[in-house]
Amino acid sequence: GSQAEASSQAKESVSQPTSLDGQAVFAGGGGCAACHAIEGISTGAVGPDLTHLATDAATRKPGMSAEAYIEESIRAPEAFVAPGGIPGIMTAALTGGLSDDEVAALVDFLMAQKLPNQSAYPRPSIYQARPLIECDTSGGLTEYFHSV
């Protein structure tokens, strides 16, 4: 009776895998969006911009795939701090509560964050210094350069 029913229910839950949405984990319960920006998704400014993370991660650690680097960055954030990053800001204490399914969903989502055409548009490191002056469409930038 009840033992057979329990066994049947257990089989049902195993046969219906939960598919988590990595973007929902990133923007919601994972808390990632509070510190990280992804164009069109989040505006966090504490951690690195992850808009093209899969492109950047592919060369971040020699001999390590982008996917492995992203997973390591979630599971053990202090194992490698990217150039320009601040050690101690993102720690395993922040990510330790994520389930294996949530980590896998995040990795899948972050692996989709790459340049549209990686070979045609090489891009500088996300940690490169930004210019101190911004473009002024009223002609102010041109006047600035002429006055220097």
Side-chain angles (χ1 to χ4, degrees), residues 50-59 66 70 110-115 118:
L50 304 180
T51 300
H52 302 295
L53 178 61
T55 301
D56 298 329
T59 58
I70 292 170
L110 293 170
M111 282 297 294
Q113 308 309 311
K114 55 188 170 188
L115 289 170
Q118 293 180 22

Side-chain angles (χ1 to χ4, degrees), residues 27-110:
C32 317
C35 295
H36 294 283
I38 291 182
E39 191 174 312
I41 297 171
S42 62
T43 58
V46 175
D49 184 313
L50 304 180
T51 300
H52 302 295
L53 178 61
T55 301
D56 298 329
T59 58
R60 188 66 72 209
K61 284 180 81 173
M64 182 178 265
S65 71
E67 189 171 7
Y69 172 78
I70 292 170
E71 183 171 352
E72 178 187 75
S73 295
I74 296 168
R75 292 188 185 275
E78 294 181 286
F80 177 82
V81 178
I86 303 168
I89 295 292
M90 184 171 165
T91 66
L94 293 174
T95 61
L98 296 170
S99 70
D100 288 346
D101 288 343
E102 288 171 319
V103 170
L106 277 171
V107 170
D108 287 347
F109 167 67
L110 293 170

